[in-house]
Amino acid sequence: MWSAHHVWMNVAFVLLGAVMIIGSPLIYQEFNEGDPLKVWIARFAFSAQLLAGVGAVFVGLNPENEHPLMHVVGAGLAIAVGTLGVFLLGLSLPLPGRLRRFMIFCMPVALLAIALYALHEYLGFGPGGMERLAACPEVIWLISFGFYLSRSHYDNNSAHRALESVHATRPSRGVAPKPDP
């Protein structure tokens, strides 16, 4: 039932979790918003991402065949809390349309997949397929968000710039960028 190479998947879960734990506070410091409600939502969302990282590490350290209950607790943190966090990030961050639309489409699908998985309704995907349908959108969105942040910083010749200032200073296509004072 388990792959002979399951150790590598467990290592990947631990690494993913470590990156999420380290990345959440680092990316939060990029957040620059004046609206108190959005600040509260972003704090909750970044905290959820940190908890999801802890859950991913927990999943990697507690394989399902050895510690099924501990694995389920870790997976719940990694998938359910992480997906909710991504959904809230999408609501609170100033994002371009494509990234926001991806989040608006995928996160409710992932949340529904989590609920169906919990109810043992797999819709022909099987338990593993439904679990991947619940987990993969979060990871894809986080990778896309990371590329977006990297590109925003590259466009502004900066290694550290607040998200809000990225949108304010980004020139439209065909217009030469203004030099920073």
Side-chain angles (χ1 to χ4, degrees), residues 8-25:
W8 293 110
M9 187 162 187
N10 292 334
V11 168
F13 284 136
V14 170
L15 289 175
L16 171 66
V19 168
M20 290 173 73
I21 291 167
I22 293 166
S24 292

Side-chain angles (χ1 to χ4, degrees), residues 1-158:
M1 183 170 175
W2 289 274
S3 167
H5 303 290
H6 70 276
V7 170
W8 293 110
M9 187 162 187
N10 292 334
V11 168
F13 284 136
V14 170
L15 289 175
L16 171 66
V19 168
M20 290 173 73
I21 291 167
I22 293 166
S24 292
L26 291 175
I27 294 172
Y28 176 73
Q29 70 183 353
E30 295 284 313
F31 185 67
N32 183 16
E33 175 66 56
D35 181 3
L37 178 61
K38 286 188 177 183
V39 169
W40 184 87
I41 292 171
R43 282 184 187 152
F44 184 83
F46 281 110
S47 297
Q49 287 308 298
L50 192 137
L51 283 174
V54 170
V57 170
F58 213 66
V59 165
L61 296 177
N62 296 288
E64 186 177 18
N65 60 326
E66 295 175 17
H67 308 285
L69 182 60
M70 305 288 265
H71 183 85
V72 168
V73 169
L77 281 172
I79 298 173
V81 173
T83 300
L84 179 62
V86 167
F87 186 73
L88 293 173
L89 282 174
L91 295 176
S92 64
L93 298 177
L95 298 171
R98 278 183 265 159
L99 199 53
R100 187 177 305 280
R101 283 190 298 275
F102 178 77
M103 180 278 308
I104 288 171
F105 174 75
C106 287
M107 292 308 115
V109 169
L111 290 170
L112 178 62
I114 292 166
L116 290 171
Y117 182 83
L119 295 170
H120 303 284
E121 295 293 334
Y122 307 123
L123 304 179
F125 292 112
M130 190 59 76
E131 186 179 30
R132 292 302 97 212
L133 185 62
C136 288
E138 173 190 0
V139 174
I140 292 168
W141 192 91
L142 290 171
I143 291 169
S144 302
F145 183 61
F147 278 115
Y148 162 71
L149 280 179
S150 296
R151 179 61 190 210
S152 297
H153 289 201
Y154 177 77
D155 285 350
N156 287 291
N157 297 321
S158 171

